[in-house]
Amino acid sequence: REARKVGLGAEAIIGSAKLVDAVYELPYLAHATMEPMNCTADVRSDAVTLWVPTQFQTGPKLLGGGSRGAASRATGVAMDKITVHTTLLGGGFGRRSESDFVTEACEVSKAAGAPVKLAWSREDDIRHDQYRPAARHVLRAGLGADGGVTGWYHHIVCPSIIAKFIPGWVPNVVAHLAGPLKGGVDGNAIEGAPEVPYAISNLEVRYTQADLGVPVGFWRSVGHSHTAFAVECFVDELAGAAGRDPVEFRRGLLAGSPRNLAVLNLAAERSGWGTPAPAGSFRGVALHPSFGSFVAQVAEISVEGGVLRVHRVVCAVDCGQVVHPDTVVAQMEGAIVFGLTAALKGRITLEKGRVKQSNFHDYRLLTMREMPVVEVYIVPSLFEPGGVGEPGTPPIAPAVANAVFAATGTRIRKLPIEI
């Protein structure tokens, strides 16, 4: 289904001086929060009390009503008789916006007739997550004789997170006209792709919803987590086809986007882009706006003996007016660690309908010794505040992938990165 079309869309690619196309693939990902899912429930005939690390205490019935809605459905107690005490999350990343573990705690407490503290094992947590959707991106673009982009086509295929909240009849009647599945397109699945920051006069973005039977959910930066990888790796491929430096190529497409241009310039300057990297090291760049903020990152890597090592990440962020700079820096650092783990290691696979991974021995996380130096630079801004919890995650995977190309000459089109 068409998500956005500007100008002639894909038709403008025909007859271009150069044609570039690529396919990018990303796997299912678990959240792997340090504290597994847990909930303490005290279910009585006329009231329910929860102590739960939740990101979704309550909310619209269309989206399940959050923890209170789940407790109400499991116990038959009205929502206004349910009290939620929110504890520290122990890591959320979108996983605790789900309420499956709340439902289970309530069902057990109701059956036991007593308060129950439920804590999932790590194996339960990895094998029964609400996974970041797997995704496949098909991109095609044309370049003119001057190296400019004549047309851009982007087709995204992945499951819909929003669809699971909506009764089967709704998409056929209401959601195709408005709402979370407007026109049959899940905005969460494609976010970032229709609104690429670059000045492209002919653009077409399409979405195919793939119903694969695997439970999916919100994962830190949601659709941006995979669209940024495809878009920013492809922009680097276009720069290569045009014979241009990746930063200079982007600058030429960002004249009408000053905030994106500012973070790109700052990241390039502070990383030393255009000057020789340390011996044996190579740089890659990516930028991606999301959640009202603008982020560019330069990754400095080495590849020796088939081993990829990320040594340094320079991050520039414009998140509007800053309330607490230390919080911005901490969130960028954490988002980079989260995204780097996924880029280098993250992959959930299934065999005979079951998740193969079970714990940190086969769903590995970034270790302390693998952690790069991270430098965060904040652009002074008087714009309204944007997000900082999620925007640091999308650019890191493409920045590293583009650095790998600089080091090896091999394009990375599939995550996790394998050398």
Side-chain angles (χ1 to χ4, degrees), residues 222-304:
V222 199
H224 296 283
S225 70
H226 55 92
T227 61
F229 174 71
V231 169
E232 284 300 292
C233 286
F234 192 60
V235 169
D236 249 49
E237 298 205 31
L238 292 180
R244 302 277 299 281
D245 172 84
V247 169
E248 289 300 324
F249 185 76
R250 285 173 171 82
R251 283 173 176 155
L253 295 171
L254 290 173
S257 185
R259 297 180 75 182
N260 281 296
L261 183 59
V263 293
L264 176 65
N265 286 338
L266 182 57
E269 174 193 344
R270 295 304 178 97
S271 67
W273 190 275
T275 65
S281 294
F282 301 84
R283 298 185 182 111
V285 65
L287 71 88
H288 190 80
S290 62
F291 304 96
S293 294
F294 304 79
V295 178
Q297 293 171 5
V298 174
E300 199 170 275
I301 64 106
S302 65
V303 179
E304 295 182 17

Side-chain angles (χ1 to χ4, degrees), residues 64-76:
S67 294
R68 292 178 72 202
S72 179
R73 289 190 298 276
T75 63

Side-chain angles (χ1 to χ4, degrees), residues 62 166-184:
L62 180 64
I166 300 174
W169 58 269
V170 174
N172 296 322
V173 180
V174 179
H176 279 215
L177 303 176
L181 281 174
K182 185 177 180 180

